[in-house]
Amino acid sequence: MILSDKRILEEIEKGSIIIEPFKRECLGTNSYDVHLGKYLATYRNRVLDAKVHNEIDQFEIPKEGFVLQPGTLYLGVTVEYTETHKHVPFLEGKSSTGRLGIDIHATAGKGDVGFCNTWTLEISVAQPVRIYAGMPIGQLIYFAVEGDIETLYNTKGNAKYNNPTTRPVESMMWKNKF
């Protein structure tokens, strides 16, 4: 079940959902709008290898914006830091973002209960488009969880994305054993 605006506010009041900064005007009927942070990153190599640490180059989006190009994967980050202790957060693009041909995640739209961080975005575009730091980029939707949680994400010893950051984080697939 998706949480309504009133329920999201109740959970924020209880401390089971944390959104910083929180702006009431960003709360929709059943979602919360998040914004693009000022940092983007691209991978140094055009050919990525799942078994090695693929390094990234980070840069700040200039005030005049930055034109994203098709064929390049950009890693972005949300302005908002979030914590979710009892619900499953889903990050989806806004319809206005999609209508510009911007995808904000390749596959990682679902967070885990216990995720406490900003969200790294996996941005790709259908055609060149200028983007700006601070622009609305997506929306968080919260789902109720059925049953007790055995291990929250932020308490897992092998969680790869637990270090708080205000910058995009590259894939940590290389830390898996396969």
Side-chain angles (χ1 to χ4, degrees):
M1 183 175 301
I2 297 173
L3 273 60
S4 68
D5 53 359
K6 287 184 178 182
R7 185 67 188 278
I8 292 170
L9 288 171
E10 289 170 7
E11 297 302 321
I12 288 171
E13 185 67 29
K14 290 179 194 174
S16 65
I17 293 176
I18 295 171
I19 302 170
E20 295 175 354
F22 177 81
K23 295 180 181 174
R24 180 65 174 85
E25 63 270 17
C26 294
L27 183 63
T29 306
N30 56 330
S31 63
Y32 186 85
D33 288 350
V34 294
H35 301 81
L36 181 61
K38 63 182 179 178
Y39 297 106
L40 287 178
T42 55
Y43 284 99
R44 288 187 184 152
N45 296 321
R46 291 297 291 174
V47 176
L48 303 177
D49 185 334
K51 285 194 172 189
V52 300
H53 184 187
N54 296 283
E55 295 183 355
I56 57 174
D57 291 315
Q58 297 190 24
F59 58 96
E60 195 168 329
I61 300 170
K63 287 187 191 228
E64 65 274 9
F66 180 81
V67 178
L68 301 176
Q69 298 293 331
T72 299
L73 175 64
Y74 298 91
L75 300 178
V77 66
T78 59
V79 168
E80 291 80 8
Y81 168 90
T82 68
E83 293 185 12
T84 311
H85 300 286
K86 293 184 179 180
H87 303 90
V88 178
F90 273 69
L91 177 64
E92 294 294 336
K94 295 182 63 58
S95 61
S96 297
T97 307
R99 291 173 192 183
L100 290 172
I102 302 170
D103 289 323
I104 66 164
H105 63 77
T107 61
K110 178 195 69 66
D112 286 305
V113 179
F115 178 75
C116 303
N117 212 338
T118 55
W119 290 72
T120 292
L121 309 169
E122 304 134 0
I123 303 171
S124 59
V125 296
Q127 66 187 63
V129 60
R130 185 176 300 275
I131 52 125
Y132 301 87
M135 68 182 271
I137 196 76
Q139 54 192 342
L140 286 171
I141 301 162
Y142 295 94
F143 287 82
V145 175
E146 181 69 29
D148 294 330
I149 305 291
E150 183 177 7
T151 307
L152 296 173
Y153 184 81
N154 60 334
T155 64
K156 286 175 64 174
N158 63 346
K160 297 185 289 282
Y161 303 104
N162 258 342
N163 296 328
T165 182
T166 58
R167 294 178 179 251
V169 177
E170 67 273 25
S171 172
M172 297 294 171
M173 176 66 77
W174 61 275
K175 290 185 174 185
N176 292 314
K177 293 187 190 314
F178 60 96

